[in-house]
Amino acid sequence: MAIDWQAFLLTTQLAGLTMVILLIVATPLAWWLAHSRWRWIGWIEAVVALPLVLPPTVMGFYLLLLFAPGNGPGAWWFSITGQPLNFSFTGLVIASVIYSLPFATQPIQAAFSGVSRGVLEAGATLGASPLDRFFRLVLPLSRRGYLTAAVLVFAHTLGEFGVVLMIGGNIPGETRVVSVALYEAVETLNYGSAHTMAAILLGFSFIVLLAVYGMNRRFSFRLGPGV
């Protein structure tokens, strides 16, 4: 009963990189969504949330076309690197970032919206610059949102199948992630390996969620109700 540990390592690298990128990218986007009064802001929120309801294969299909060497971003990337985005780890990262965007943006946006305007005004009264207020007041008060976003993105990327299969295929050591390896094991009737990989993913997901809920409870007790 062989377990594809290389697929686990690649999946962990993909999930970790996607999480870091999205925590950076989602921060200014979530701040803008939380505070903008632009009349068309609902359109942007709908676009950001689209991966929540769009079938993964649909998004994977359109990304597959965009990443092709003869089209837009794919052609630009190919002209610079000489390598296609499709069926590459870089392509997987970009696709994962796009598909997991709402899982990072929405928790952070909710955390930003929950920061009292009075706290920011008090900071401004004391002479803190906008950046100081953001890093010293907003970020500490929004840490639960960041924690939730990090866990959701990491866990979602671990289990993603449709998009990664469409964009990356099944290249060992390059694009073969755990979900694809699990599917291949089932397809070849290798149920022993499939059971083991599925059990590892199930156990890891449960432990991560348990840890997150525990940390959120501790934050609630420390900060008090309503924070």
Side-chain angles (χ1 to χ4, degrees):
M1 183 173 58
I3 304 300
D4 192 345
W5 294 112
Q6 188 178 46
F8 274 97
L9 177 61
L10 187 68
T11 304
T12 304
Q13 291 173 340
L14 176 64
L17 191 55
T18 300
M19 179 187 68
V20 171
I21 293 173
L22 273 177
L23 289 180
I24 296 172
V25 170
T27 294
L29 177 59
W31 181 262
W32 180 63
L33 290 175
H35 296 94
S36 175
R37 295 183 179 180
W38 186 44
R39 61 180 300 183
W40 303 110
I41 194 71
W43 287 77
I44 305 301
E45 289 180 316
V47 170
V48 171
L50 198 58
L52 293 175
V53 296
L54 196 64
T57 48
V58 173
M59 178 162 286
F61 171 69
Y62 284 114
L63 290 177
L64 187 67
L65 297 181
L66 282 175
F67 290 176
N71 292 324
W76 173 80
W77 180 263
F78 188 80
S79 68
I80 293 177
T81 65
Q83 301 292 328
L85 272 177
N86 287 333
F87 310 111
S88 70
F89 184 74
T90 302
L92 280 186
V93 172
I94 297 173
S96 296
V97 166
I98 294 172
Y99 194 62
S100 293
L101 181 62
F103 293 91
T105 304
Q106 291 186 352
I108 297 175
Q109 179 185 349
F112 286 165
S113 297
V115 176
S116 169
R117 187 171 295 274
V119 172
L120 298 179
E121 291 174 350
T125 302
L126 294 173
S129 68
L131 278 179
D132 284 337
R133 277 176 274 160
F134 182 79
F135 285 106
R136 296 187 179 185
L137 296 175
V138 176
L139 285 186
L141 292 174
S142 304
R143 56 185 176 181
R144 290 177 63 185
Y146 275 93
L147 176 62
T148 302
V151 171
L152 287 178
V153 169
F154 193 88
H156 181 251
T157 306
L158 280 183
E160 176 49 39
F161 175 73
V163 169
V164 296
L165 182 62
M166 294 285 282
I167 298 299
N170 188 15
I171 305 173
E174 181 69 25
T175 63
R176 187 183 186 188
V177 294
V178 176
S179 57
V180 175
L182 176 59
Y183 174 78
E184 184 181 56
V186 173
E187 196 175 35
T188 57
L189 304 182
N190 188 358
Y191 290 135
S193 294
H195 274 304
T196 303
M197 287 187 284
I200 292 173
L201 286 177
L202 177 62
F204 179 80
S205 300
F206 179 77
I207 290 172
V208 166
L209 289 175
L210 194 63
V212 147
Y213 284 123
M215 283 186 283
N216 273 336
R217 282 181 177 274
R218 283 202 296 272
F219 287 157
S220 295
F221 289 138
R222 288 177 184 174
L223 298 175
V227 179

